[in-house]
Amino acid sequence: MSNLSILRQREFLALLGLLLVYGIAVSWTLPGKYPWHDEITTLRDSRESFEHLAKTYYTHKAYILASKACTSLWGESFTVLRIPSIAMGGLSLIAIYWLGSMLFRPAVGILAAAYLLLHPSFLFFSADARGYQGAFLFSILAAAFLWRGLSKVTIFDCLMAALSLFLGLMMQPTAALTYPGMMIMSSILIVKTYRNDHEDSRLKKKKLSWILGVSLIAGLILIGPRVWDYIRWDTLLIPSRFTGEGDGEGVSSLGPGPLRTLEGWRIHLAPLISAELHTGRIVTLGVFLLLIGALLPERGKRLQ
């Protein structure tokens, strides 16, 4: 067996070990996790028919459909309602490993998956009967497919990226917060391709033009109505600690839609900039792992 094969086997075993740790962590978390308001809402909504769910607007629509399918197969319980999140949490570890390996090297992918596993928010939302974990998973997949699709100019990858963006939005509309970063990355790759004057790049440019046109149409058809429904949504319940107001029960109801006013944007971004789990020791550990990843020798290149 070659040194490269041994290295790949070690990476596979490391990823498998992380998935095993993830399974153990989730199994310890579930028994003591009491359902909260949003999960009770998922339970209520999952009792509706598939036809009703398909025709009605929900912020976590795709997740409710997935939880409905699970309760139809295995009965109604909060553990069953959380099965889609648990599965998508494990897939997120694999997806971020794939993205890290694609952008840098497999060792970075393993470090990224390890850091994600240690983050308290990841474990919480992996056992939560809502669509946040799904939005996270499909955002990672969209980034990976976009990078590969626009770098190599492949139609399949670009279509998979569009599908991933759509599914992330269907899981939870806040997945749209990743769109600006995706657009910047896409713009850089597109400009890089069009500025290439090599003879073999002409076909790529022509193919890329078709891809961009088809992607724009697909995006308007798939994502446009969903975003428009969200913008027109005239009520949004936000914890009062983010607004300074409330009805005495820790909840504030906004009159205008969430994206129509500056206040709506401020409240929407508040959980991202004020959440306690996004600061402190876990971020310090993340910086430490980032430095290790940057300093690791490129063993893969040497072995090749």
Side-chain angles (χ1 to χ4, degrees), residues 3 7 30 36 65 67 122 140 150 154 165 183 242 301:
N3 291 335
L7 183 60
L30 282 176
W36 63 301
L65 287 168
S67 62
F122 172 73
I140 295 174
L150 293 177
T154 55
L165 289 171
M183 291 176 63
F242 295 140
K301 289 185 177 180

Side-chain angles (χ1 to χ4, degrees), residues 75-121:
E76 188 179 278
S77 72
F78 282 105
T79 299
V80 172
L81 286 172
R82 292 164 180 160
I83 285 177
S85 277
I86 295 170
M88 288 186 290
L91 291 174
S92 295
L93 291 173
I94 298 174
I96 205 165
Y97 163 75
W98 177 44
L99 180 60
S101 301
M102 186 188 307
L103 295 178
F104 301 100
R105 52 187 180 276
V108 176
I110 292 294
L111 284 173
Y115 172 65
L116 180 61
L117 180 59
L118 291 172
H119 202 292
S121 292

Side-chain angles (χ1 to χ4, degrees), residues 4 15 21-22 38 41 70 74 94-95 106 121-122 124 126 131 159 188 203 211 244 260:
L4 184 59
L15 183 60
V21 172
Y22 168 74
D38 281 15
T41 301
C70 290
W74 298 298
I94 298 174
S121 292
F122 172 73
F124 175 82
S126 292
L159 290 176
I188 293 172
L203 180 60
I211 289 174
R260 295 182 188 176

Side-chain angles (χ1 to χ4, degrees), residues 21-193:
V21 172
Y22 168 74
I24 295 172
V26 170
S27 65
W28 281 349
T29 302
L30 282 176
K33 191 174 189 299
Y34 191 77
W36 63 301
H37 174 272
D38 281 15
E39 289 188 301
I40 295 172
T41 301
T42 301
L43 175 63
R44 180 200 66 194
D45 294 337
S46 66
R47 291 172 175 171
E48 301 288 349
S49 66
F50 280 109
E51 183 180 1
H52 173 82
L53 293 175
K55 294 180 179 179
T56 308
Y57 176 79
Y58 294 95
T59 51
H60 299 252
K61 188 168 187 173
Y63 191 90
I64 294 171
L65 287 168
S67 62
K68 171 70 174 178
C70 290
T71 55
S72 299
L73 291 172
W74 298 298
E76 188 179 278
S77 72
F78 282 105
T79 299
V80 172
L81 286 172
R82 292 164 180 160
I83 285 177
S85 277
I86 295 170
M88 288 186 290
L91 291 174
S92 295
L93 291 173
I94 298 174
I96 205 165
Y97 163 75
W98 177 44
L99 180 60
S101 301
M102 186 188 307
L103 295 178
F104 301 100
R105 52 187 180 276
V108 176
I110 292 294
L111 284 173
Y115 172 65
L116 180 61
L117 180 59
L118 291 172
H119 202 292
S121 292
F122 172 73
L123 290 176
F124 175 82
F125 288 114
S126 292
D128 185 47
R130 300 296 277 172
Y132 300 107
Q133 191 61 53
F136 178 72
L137 167 64
F138 288 111
S139 294
I140 295 174
L141 290 175
F145 281 122
L146 266 179
W147 180 269
R148 193 170 71 175
L150 293 177
S151 297
K152 299 181 179 180
V153 192
T154 55
I155 297 176
F156 174 78
D157 288 319
C158 290
L159 290 176
M160 289 301 296
L163 180 62
S164 297
L165 289 171
F166 170 66
L167 290 175
L169 196 66
M170 290 292 287
M171 282 289 173
Q172 222 292 330
T174 50
L177 291 173
T178 65
Y179 287 7
M182 302 272 190
M183 291 176 63
I184 292 172
M185 176 187 72
S186 301
S187 299
I188 293 172
L189 292 173
I190 291 168
V191 169
K192 184 179 178 181
T193 299

Side-chain angles (χ1 to χ4, degrees), residues 153 194 201-211:
V153 192
Y194 277 112
S201 67
R202 292 181 180 177
L203 180 60
K204 280 189 175 183
K205 291 178 182 179
K206 187 176 181 180
K207 187 190 295 186
L208 183 58
S209 298
W210 278 100
I211 289 174

